Amino acid sequence: KGFTLYLVASPLLFALVHWESGVANVVAAYLFGVFACVVYWWLKNIWPLVIGHVYTDYVIYDVWANT
């Protein structure tokens, strides 16, 4: 029961933080949040996810936006 609640609540909170970018981004953030929950549950380490998020933000907001 605990993991199921975590698998629903955590991605939902993550998705709601990304609301300013529109509905498509909220859905994408939710799906990524589900993936991130599973990865965290498997690795028991948040740092690969933090690094992945920083890298993704860098690619989207710096590299891709300036091309």
Side-chain angles (χ1 to χ4, degrees), residues 10-34:
S10 182
L12 182 60
L13 291 173
F14 183 74
L16 291 175
V17 170
H18 294 83
W19 68 270
E20 73 278 355
S21 298
V23 175
N25 197 37
V26 170
V27 172
Y30 182 81
L31 294 174
F32 177 78
V34 170

Side-chain angles (χ1 to χ4, degrees), residues 5 26-27 57 59 64:
L5 178 62
V26 170
V27 172
D57 285 350
V59 168
W64 186 55

Side-chain angles (χ1 to χ4, degrees), residues 36-67:
C37 283
V38 172
V39 169
Y40 177 75
W41 178 74
W42 182 52
L43 295 177
K44 305 293 191 260
N45 188 351
I46 199 166
W47 287 109
L49 297 166
V50 171
I51 292 167
H53 193 291
V54 169
Y55 177 76
T56 301
D57 285 350
Y58 171 74
V59 168
I60 290 172
Y61 294 114
D62 192 43
V63 176
W64 186 55
N66 291 321
T67 57

